[in-house]
Amino acid sequence: MVAPYVAVTALSHAGLVREHNEDSLVIGPWTLCGTVTENPQTLVFRRGTPLCVAVADGLGGQPAGEVASALVVRNLSLLGPALDGEDAVRRGLEACNDAVYAAADGDPALLTMGTTVAGVVVLADSLLTFNVGDSRVYETCRDGLRQVSVDDSPPLRPGQRTTSIVTQTLGGSLEFQQVTPHLVGMPLTAGHRCLICTDGLTDSVPDEELDRLLTGAEDDGRAAFALWRAAIEAGGSDNITLAVLSVGD
């Protein structure tokens, strides 16, 4: 009998405008920091041990965003097996925030560096989503794609679809700021599917198009590639990092 599994297909790309990729990605023990994947990569894990999948987007316009995002995903990679509930995930994100500030305090070149983070922790029979900032987590459901994460951004004006303002991040300030992560738990079932991504995807591609591309693809690899291509065809104005997570039985 085949054991229940989780498959994660991901890619990270600088886009067409930015010189560097300040996004980072964690999938269990595997991290990808400040680099580019030419094609979607798929990893498969047996369900049971907590599995953390997350993206982090270094703050643009402030120094060393790639350092902050890499620091966070590497910490989450190390913490992964211990992230066995909401309290553990909350403490883990607070520890990541502490680590970003501590690193910045030790090096003037890193002062005010910061990052967003969004992701999921897959447990034996449940899923925890989390975020700080405006990177996002979606789930597919009967009525279409649904955003589960909560954007830390000011309310949008009528007709405004996106904003570059972020009201909460890990690090990012001269003085230490506590964070209040957004956490949502839900049952885990075979066929459960999530999209975890930075705003380089969501600022360029409306939710309706994300839904169409994700649900219309034959498999997760094609879906990930189609999502990336849509962001590139929309101008690729920011770094693009995404992961498509599927639960099998």
Side-chain angles (χ1 to χ4, degrees), residues 89-148:
V89 172
R90 185 176 291 106
R91 289 194 302 270
L93 293 172
E94 290 169 351
C96 288
N97 189 44
D98 293 345
V100 173
Y101 276 108
D105 285 344
D107 187 342
L110 305 182
L111 200 61
T112 74
M113 73 174 181
T115 183
T116 69
V117 67
V120 303
V121 176
V122 184
L123 303 173
D125 55 6
S126 64
L127 187 87
L128 283 173
T129 72
F130 61 85
N131 79 282
V132 175
D134 60 357
S135 291
R136 291 183 177 177
V137 179
Y138 295 86
E139 69 164 347
T140 58
C141 53
R142 190 171 302 173
D143 298 326
L145 200 64
R146 180 177 79 94
Q147 182 178 340
V148 184

Side-chain angles (χ1 to χ4, degrees), residues 115-246:
T115 183
T116 69
V117 67
V120 303
V121 176
V122 184
L123 303 173
D125 55 6
S126 64
L127 187 87
L128 283 173
T129 72
F130 61 85
N131 79 282
V132 175
D134 60 357
S135 291
R136 291 183 177 177
V137 179
Y138 295 86
E139 69 164 347
T140 58
C141 53
R142 190 171 302 173
D143 298 326
L145 200 64
R146 180 177 79 94
Q147 182 178 340
V148 184
S149 57
V150 178
D151 292 345
D152 285 313
S153 301
L156 298 176
R157 300 187 302 272
Q160 182 184 16
R161 197 179 69 81
T162 66
T163 177
S164 60
I165 301 173
V166 185
T167 57
Q168 182 178 220
T169 60
L170 302 177
S173 301
L174 284 171
E175 299 293 332
F176 179 82
Q177 301 288 328
Q178 296 279 359
V179 292
T180 304
H182 304 281
L183 297 169
V184 178
M186 62 188 73
L188 185 69
T189 58
H192 207 124
R193 203 175 188 208
C194 293
L195 169 65
I196 303 124
C197 58
T198 60
D199 66 352
L201 177 64
T202 55
D203 281 357
S204 298
V205 186
D207 285 4
E208 297 79 8
E209 183 70 359
L210 296 178
D211 186 16
R212 185 186 72 80
L213 294 171
L214 188 60
T215 58
E218 296 178 6
D219 55 53
D220 288 353
R222 291 176 186 269
F225 185 82
L227 292 166
W228 167 80
R229 184 172 60 185
I232 292 295
E233 290 176 349
S237 60
D238 200 354
N239 306 150
I240 306 156
T241 300
L242 64 97
V244 179
L245 181 150
S246 295

